[in-house]
Amino acid sequence: MLQILYPPRCINCGDMVESDFGLCGKCWRNTPFIEGLCCDLCGTPLPGQSSETEFCDDCLTRPRPWIRGRAAFCYNDIGRKLVLALKHGDHQEIARPAGLWLTRAARPILHHQMIIAPIPLHWTRMIKRRFNQSALLAQELAKNTGHPCCPDLLVRHIRTKSLEGQGHEARFETVTGAISPHPKRRHHMIDRSVLLVDDVMTSGATMAAAAEACLAAGASDVFSLVLARVAKHD
């Protein structure tokens, strides 16, 4: 009866679909999911095919404090629209299917000793936004994989200015030292792998700051997973 009164609709365009929290066929085809060869550190798609571990130009030129990473789709077209709807449009329901997409992307890097943690928001931004979209994604991923999730493993103790419009070097300088382990949670990551989850990766500056905080707290290694990767196009 509920499906008759409230038929399931595409989370992007609103057209009717077969099940809740999904994309219609057209939107699915037009969402830039990352398939095939990708950078083993940040997940950005790479041309061609290879059985070897490959890296993008950004990851070859800038050391990453995490050891492997993946992304579900590229940050353009419908991918960008979905991220913005989740992050700024208060469409928290997008986290549910996004958790499935993250689970699929994360398969090559998951292992049983991992703890999942989101990139934290500063408390002032949390009050304004009312939720941390990265925490929603991390919790959905944990539900799907069975891995433990600690939503407040890390704390963003410095409110940094927006990274939008800043160059690579400025982004890294802005977030340096802005993230630290929660003093009552740091024991969860000692001698353990941490899988950090975020909505978007551009330069990787925020992910790097979070990874460095985990390693300084005693994590054995850090992995990166994002819903969308800002990828360069020729």
Side-chain angles (χ1 to χ4, degrees), residues 114-200:
M114 280 182 164
I115 184 170
I116 299 170
I119 297 296
L121 279 180
H122 190 265
W123 67 268
T124 56
R125 287 201 170 96
M126 180 70 107
I127 290 175
K128 181 178 180 181
R129 194 175 296 168
R130 297 183 295 107
F131 67 94
N132 178 359
Q133 71 281 356
S134 298
L136 295 180
L137 295 172
Q139 288 165 336
E140 289 295 330
L141 177 68
K143 289 178 187 177
N144 294 333
T145 63
H147 286 70
C149 176
C150 186
D152 58 349
L153 189 69
L154 299 173
V155 178
R156 196 161 190 152
H157 56 90
I158 297 175
R159 175 166 179 159
T160 56
K161 60 184 178 181
S162 173
L163 300 184
E164 188 173 351
Q166 294 189 40
H168 270 53
E169 296 305 322
R171 284 172 176 263
F172 279 86
E173 183 177 345
T174 296
V175 298
T176 297
I179 297 174
S180 61
H182 191 297
K184 295 183 178 180
R185 305 285 184 266
R186 62 187 305 152
H187 64 280
H188 290 302
M189 64 179 103
I190 295 175
D191 295 327
R192 195 173 188 180
S193 295
V194 179
L195 177 59
L196 293 174
V197 177
D198 204 3
D199 56 346
V200 183

Side-chain angles (χ1 to χ4, degrees), residues 28-222:
W28 177 270
R29 290 190 298 271
N30 291 328
T31 300
F33 289 104
I34 296 174
E35 308 281 356
L37 185 63
C38 67
C39 174
D40 199 54
L41 276 171
C42 72
T44 195
L46 297 174
Q49 297 180 346
S50 175
S51 58
E52 303 295 325
T53 300
E54 300 288 346
F55 305 102
C56 68
D57 290 344
D58 283 350
C59 291
L60 284 172
T61 56
R62 181 178 292 278
R64 304 294 196 185
W66 63 90
I67 62 172
R68 298 187 74 191
R70 288 295 185 273
F73 50 65
C74 293
Y75 187 66
N76 55 46
D77 302 326
I78 291 177
R80 181 175 185 273
K81 186 177 178 181
L82 289 171
V83 169
L84 293 178
L86 170 63
K87 188 172 185 175
H88 299 300
D90 202 22
H91 286 281
Q92 297 182 42
E93 71 277 6
I94 292 175
R96 183 169 170 179
L100 296 174
W101 304 332
L102 285 170
T103 301
R104 183 178 66 168
R107 282 174 186 157
I109 63 174
L110 288 175
H111 65 78
H112 68 281
Q113 292 184 332
M114 280 182 164
I115 184 170
I116 299 170
I119 297 296
L121 279 180
H122 190 265
W123 67 268
T124 56
R125 287 201 170 96
M126 180 70 107
I127 290 175
K128 181 178 180 181
R129 194 175 296 168
R130 297 183 295 107
F131 67 94
N132 178 359
Q133 71 281 356
S134 298
L136 295 180
L137 295 172
Q139 288 165 336
E140 289 295 330
L141 177 68
K143 289 178 187 177
N144 294 333
T145 63
H147 286 70
C149 176
C150 186
D152 58 349
L153 189 69
L154 299 173
V155 178
R156 196 161 190 152
H157 56 90
I158 297 175
R159 175 166 179 159
T160 56
K161 60 184 178 181
S162 173
L163 300 184
E164 188 173 351
Q166 294 189 40
H168 270 53
E169 296 305 322
R171 284 172 176 263
F172 279 86
E173 183 177 345
T174 296
V175 298
T176 297
I179 297 174
S180 61
H182 191 297
K184 295 183 178 180
R185 305 285 184 266
R186 62 187 305 152
H187 64 280
H188 290 302
M189 64 179 103
I190 295 175
D191 295 327
R192 195 173 188 180
S193 295
V194 179
L195 177 59
L196 293 174
V197 177
D198 204 3
D199 56 346
V200 183
M201 181 187 292
T202 302
S203 65
T206 303
M207 186 66 72
E212 287 165 356
C214 292
L215 294 171
S220 58
D221 44 41
V222 179

